[in-house]
Amino acid sequence: MQKIDVCFSPELLPKYEITDKIVVVVDILRATSCMVTALACGVAQIIPVMEVEECKEWQRKGFLASAERDGKKIEGFDLDNSPFSYQNPDLIGKTIALTTTNGTLAIKKSKDAAQIIIGAFLNISAIVAYLKKENKDILVLCAGWKGKVNLEDTMFAGALVEALQADFDVATDDSLMAQILYNHAKTDMLAVIAKCSHIKRLQNLGIEKDIEFCFQIDKYNVVPMMNGDFLEIVA
Ligand code: 3SL
């Protein structure tokens, strides 16, 4: 039986062997929720990058570029990190370079994985169906916050473990901890995350509407996957 495991932070990733695994990167608030929304709404490709300067370089080459640090859009870039900004018909067919505080870093750190796919509550059933079909070992990588663990990404990891437990070996304490958290939270996830640190950060920036949006289940039926430098829909 193939295994599912959870890594709570990119800082812990060196502890895991990923070359033969599918890594599911998750940053519920808000990077992977934005990516799923953008691609589902017609953006052709996203180029995730770690550094702001690298993102600027893509912009100089003529691409649209989005840069966020600490929840705020960096001056001079075209887009912020709100899922609402990507539901714009003007973006259909476009390629967008993107850097975010934690989400794009988690993607780039997963570069040695057999496959990198992007998960959010917005596309969770599509991700579950894809993982069942592929039947390979899985690592769910939580982007967390600046190397630390967060509640919302761990809850999503637990939701995947819960959905896949009949088909995959729940191999480690990490997966069990995430699953226990999700089962505790699932009847009212918004209530459970109400006091978490990123909620406070987003509230201080006046962007509460993004929070509810990112906790919608199965709004989109897409599986975004990294293909070289590009993130695009594969299923
Ligand atoms: O950390 C990230 O990658 C971002 O998603 C953070 S924020 O939601 O834009 O503040």
Side-chain angles (χ1 to χ4, degrees):
M1 202 182 214
Q2 306 303 317
K3 298 186 183 76
I4 179 164
D5 201 355
V6 174
C7 174
F8 292 125
S9 153
E11 293 283 310
L12 292 171
L13 193 58
K15 307 273 180 206
Y16 297 82
E17 173 55 58
I18 58 170
T19 48
D20 55 351
K21 292 195 172 84
I22 300 181
V23 172
V24 184
V25 177
V26 54
D27 185 350
I28 296 298
L29 296 171
R30 295 167 290 167
T32 60
S33 299
C34 274
M35 293 171 195
V36 167
T37 302
L39 293 166
C41 291
V43 167
Q45 294 171 314
I46 293 172
I47 309 167
V49 298
M50 259 205 282
E51 304 297 338
V52 173
E53 190 41 47
E54 206 182 338
C55 202
K56 196 86 215 164
E57 198 51 48
W58 284 104
Q59 194 184 36
R60 282 189 207 105
K61 286 180 191 161
F63 291 91
L64 289 170
S66 161
E68 165 277 329
R69 286 295 179 270
D70 296 325
K72 288 174 247 162
K73 177 183 163 192
I74 299 182
E75 220 185 300
F77 284 90
D78 304 298
L79 289 147
D80 60 14
N81 195 30
S82 168
F84 292 99
S85 304
Y86 295 84
Q87 300 170 40
N88 174 353
D90 293 347
L91 299 178
I92 293 173
K94 301 277 197 245
T95 296
I96 303 173
L98 168 69
T99 184
T100 70
T101 310
N102 306 285
T104 56
L105 176 134
I107 292 172
K108 296 311 272 187
K109 285 202 167 182
S110 308
K111 63 177 178 11
D112 294 332
Q115 295 178 28
I116 305 169
I117 64 171
I118 301 302
F121 285 113
L122 297 170
N123 68 337
I124 187 165
S125 292
I127 294 289
V128 167
Y130 181 80
L131 292 170
K132 282 187 186 173
K133 176 174 71 69
E134 289 291 298
N135 198 29
K136 286 192 167 62
D137 285 344
I138 302 162
L139 180 69
V140 188
L141 173 59
C142 302
W145 183 262
K146 297 187 179 176
K148 294 183 180 170
V149 175
N150 77 19
L151 206 52
E152 62 276 14
D153 298 344
T154 309
M155 262 160 51
F156 174 83
L160 278 189
V161 173
E162 179 72 13
L164 293 168
Q165 63 180 342
D167 304 272
F168 289 80
D169 182 11
V170 177
T172 60
D173 288 9
D174 311 5
S175 345
L176 289 170
M177 284 161 68
Q179 188 183 14
I180 289 165
L181 173 68
Y182 171 69
N183 280 327
H184 167 75
K186 66 185 174 192
T187 50
D188 194 350
M189 290 197 286
L190 285 172
V192 174
I193 57 143
K195 286 188 189 156
C196 82
S197 46
H198 201 46
I199 295 287
K200 285 188 207 125
R201 263 179 231 115
L202 294 173
Q203 283 168 341
N204 288 339
L205 294 169
I207 35 187
E208 289 96 334
K209 70 180 192 326
D210 291 20
I211 300 165
E212 264 186 50
F213 184 88
C214 294
F215 277 84
Q216 295 174 97
I217 310 286
D218 290 339
K219 186 171 174 64
Y220 301 121
N221 185 27
V222 296
V223 177
M225 184 190 286
M226 287 301 292
N227 178 13
D229 285 337
F230 299 95
L231 179 64
E232 37 193 45
I233 290 175
V234 290

